[in-house]
Amino acid sequence: MNNKTVSVHIVTYNSADDIIDCIEAVMAQDYLVKKIVVVDNASTDGSADKVRTFYHQFNSDSPAAFLVGHEAMNSAREIKQYPTIDLLENELNTGFAPAHNQAISATNTDYVLVLNPDLTLAPDYISRLITQMENNPQIGSATGKLLLKADHGLVDSTGLRMNRARRAFDRGAGEPADQWTQSGPVFGVSGAAAMYSRRMINDISVDGEFFDADFFAYKEDVDVAWRAELFGWQGYYDAEAIGYHERGWKTSGRNTKPLFIRRISYINRYKMIYKNEPTRTMLKTIFVSLPYEIAAHGYMLLREPQLITAWKSFFTQLPALKKKREYIQAAIKERKKHKS
């Protein structure tokens, strides 16, 4: 096993039902995790208290009593070290992207695993991904085969793909797991269980931000994947690294999600395109995406007209978006110049 360090970052928001299972799966990894950072975004269901109680019980004078029913952890405790747990509690819900930036700033490990609280990992998830990334320094992000907790035979995500209209999708979502046995390069990785190298984090961050804090949540992982690709980094999918994801709202339908979240998800795509699309391909992308835009906005005006108000945030943030675009596009040109 190599000596590269890894920290696991989990952002909770009313995640009390899932967080302990998630942490226990991290504790059971066969690769030494240096630190678990839990950022609680002002949960009202006791999520932070559950993490605090878990930490105190795990580090109590009688760990065996706490570990009753967790035989795998109990037997391993004598032969392996366990990570420290840092709990950062925010007074307000800052959003997924800002909270993960907060966790990234609080660590200095070689690798960072961004992990959803409703996801549990097989014991070799981390070791498999780090092995792949160490074997190829160009791999800046990696994921395993994420399966639905409700049905382990169905895929949740095997990475991200993006079409020519700049619409992003989870690869293989809802398809049989046995159809996704081939490991290999991917456009990007889902933020549900994403391993990122610190080298890539430092390289593609804009004004110190890895995830764009203006995104709050949704599509921030696609934005990172696109920026990483533009900067010359690779994504990778390891079919043997397994995780299990609850993935509530995508399986129950978008109407179960609050209007606030649907607005964010809708407008973040346009923020992402504005920042990342190179000038030379902008017109082509507009042309290719026009049929989708007409159909999608026709549907929106008929069924979800409230979404149109999301453009207010776009124009409010336009000066900041413009500054980010200028930085990203200048960096792309500079890298191409060095390659030629």
Side-chain angles (χ1 to χ4, degrees):
M1 195 69 70
N2 66 62
N3 60 355
K4 296 297 182 179
T5 56
V6 60
S7 54
V8 177
H9 302 175
I10 308 166
V11 172
T12 53
Y13 178 69
N14 294 336
S15 310
D17 291 342
D18 302 305
I19 184 59
I20 301 307
D21 287 344
C22 178
I23 292 176
E24 287 182 345
V26 174
M27 292 283 196
Q29 291 296 297
D30 62 13
Y31 191 99
L32 174 61
V33 174
K34 182 178 180 181
K35 181 181 290 189
I36 300 172
V37 180
V38 179
V39 182
D40 185 71
N41 264 337
S43 294
T44 58
D45 68 343
S47 295
D49 288 336
K50 278 208 168 186
V51 174
R52 195 178 295 107
T53 299
F54 176 90
Y55 175 81
H56 289 311
Q57 288 181 324
F58 191 80
N59 289 280
S60 68
D61 294 334
S62 333
F66 169 67
L67 291 172
V68 170
H70 302 281
E71 293 85 355
M73 291 174 60
N74 195 24
S75 62
R77 190 179 178 90
E78 296 180 359
I79 61 173
K80 66 177 282 190
Q81 292 177 279
Y82 281 86
T84 59
I85 301 178
D86 287 358
L87 174 62
L88 308 179
E89 298 182 67
N90 292 330
E91 294 183 1
L92 299 172
N93 182 4
T94 63
F96 179 96
H100 270 297
N101 286 341
Q102 185 180 349
I104 288 169
S105 297
T107 58
N108 60 1
T109 49
D110 299 307
Y111 290 94
V112 164
L113 178 66
V114 168
L115 186 62
N116 275 13
D118 62 346
L119 203 146
T120 54
L121 304 174
D124 60 352
Y125 188 90
I126 289 176
S127 60
R128 285 185 177 279
L129 297 190
I130 290 181
T131 296
Q132 294 293 345
M133 298 173 84
E134 284 294 295
N135 287 339
N136 183 355
Q138 285 304 112
I139 298 175
S141 61
T143 185
K145 184 191 292 184
L146 307 185
L147 306 174
L148 294 176
K149 275 188 181 179
D151 186 344
H152 294 180
L154 295 180
V155 168
D156 174 66
S157 178
T158 65
L160 300 173
R161 64 182 180 88
M162 187 169 67
N163 65 19
R164 295 190 303 160
R166 303 313 187 195
R167 296 180 65 208
F169 306 89
D170 284 294
R171 293 190 337 147
E175 297 180 9
D178 57 12
Q179 293 182 8
W180 292 90
T181 58
Q182 186 66 44
S183 302
V186 290
F187 163 71
V189 300
S190 166
M195 186 72 78
Y196 297 111
S197 74
R198 182 72 62 168
R199 289 170 55 243
M200 190 187 85
I201 289 173
N202 292 338
D203 185 51
I204 75 169
S205 291
V206 179
D207 286 338
E209 290 183 353
F210 179 60
F211 292 112
D212 190 329
D214 288 336
F215 277 41
F216 188 86
Y218 298 100
K219 295 188 174 64
E220 73 293 317
D221 51 356
V222 183
D223 178 58
V224 160
W226 194 357
R227 193 183 337 135
E229 182 188 60
L230 290 169
F231 281 33
W233 292 92
Q234 295 177 14
Y236 190 84
Y237 162 63
D238 188 325
E240 301 301 318
I242 306 297
Y244 305 97
H245 195 189
E246 189 69 32
R247 186 72 80 163
W249 77 273
K250 283 201 173 181
T251 55
S252 58
R254 63 181 280 113
N255 289 333
T256 63
K257 212 64 179 172
L259 177 61
F260 168 68
I261 294 300
R262 281 181 279 145
R263 282 175 177 156
I264 290 172
S265 181
Y266 161 74
I267 202 61
N268 282 354
R269 174 171 169 265
Y270 297 99
K271 293 177 182 178
M272 179 181 69
I273 293 172
Y274 180 85
K275 289 190 310 168
N276 297 319
E277 187 71 62
T279 303
R280 60 183 173 78
T281 58
M282 184 68 82
L283 284 176
K284 181 180 179 182
T285 294
I286 292 172
F287 178 77
V288 169
S289 64
L290 194 57
Y292 165 76
E293 298 297 337
I294 292 171
H297 282 81
Y299 173 87
M300 181 188 72
L301 291 172
L302 287 173
R303 302 294 297 271
E304 297 182 284
Q306 308 98 320
L307 292 186
I308 202 71
T309 59
W311 281 100
K312 181 180 178 180
S313 74
F314 182 95
F315 290 110
T316 299
Q317 295 169 2
L318 188 56
L321 289 169
K322 184 177 180 182
K323 184 179 177 183
K324 292 169 186 175
R325 174 176 174 80
E326 289 172 349
Y327 176 86
I328 292 168
Q329 300 306 316
I332 295 169
K333 290 179 182 178
E334 188 66 24
R335 287 160 196 252
K336 285 186 176 179
K337 189 187 302 181
H338 284 302
K339 281 186 177 180
S340 59

